Amino acid sequence: FNKEIYEANTIVWNGPMGVFEMEAFAAGTNEVAQRLAKATKERGAITIVGGGDSVAAINKAGLGDQVSHISTGGGASLELLEGKELPGVAALSEE
């Protein structure tokens, strides 16, 4: 996955790589967090972290301020990217 992150200009991360809360299983999640921060800093990649667990993971890694955008709306964010109508946004758009 390192190569894919390195080459991508826009990266959406939704979901940790395992049970990151337990140190024995946190390595993959921490590596993704570090690679996203590096892609943002070194190449100006747009990095979006979505979902409560992903936000908790990147903040636990101390890298939350080193990505482009953080949103706790994981499932909603994915639905928005799919082009689905979000009821809350639709309600705001009604006249």
Side-chain angles (χ1 to χ4, degrees):
F1 65 87
N2 288 331
K3 180 178 181 257
E4 303 305 324
I5 292 174
Y6 180 77
E7 293 177 352
N9 293 320
T10 303
I11 304 155
V12 177
W13 182 27
N14 188 299
M17 305 299 288
V19 187
F20 71 93
E21 299 90 345
M22 298 175 68
E23 198 59 39
F25 304 105
T29 296
N30 290 337
E31 184 71 18
V32 170
Q34 291 169 10
R35 297 295 175 158
L36 291 180
K38 184 176 180 178
T40 305
K41 181 179 180 180
E42 293 182 3
R43 300 186 302 98
I46 297 169
T47 50
I48 302 163
V49 179
D53 287 339
S54 300
V55 172
I58 199 152
N59 285 334
K60 184 176 181 186
L63 301 168
D65 62 342
Q66 296 180 41
V67 294
S68 305
H69 181 76
I70 291 179
S71 170
T72 56
S77 296
L78 292 177
E79 288 187 11
L80 181 65
L81 289 172
E82 289 177 36
K84 293 183 178 177
E85 181 178 77
L86 303 180
V89 174
L92 293 173
S93 300
E94 293 177 3
E95 294 182 31

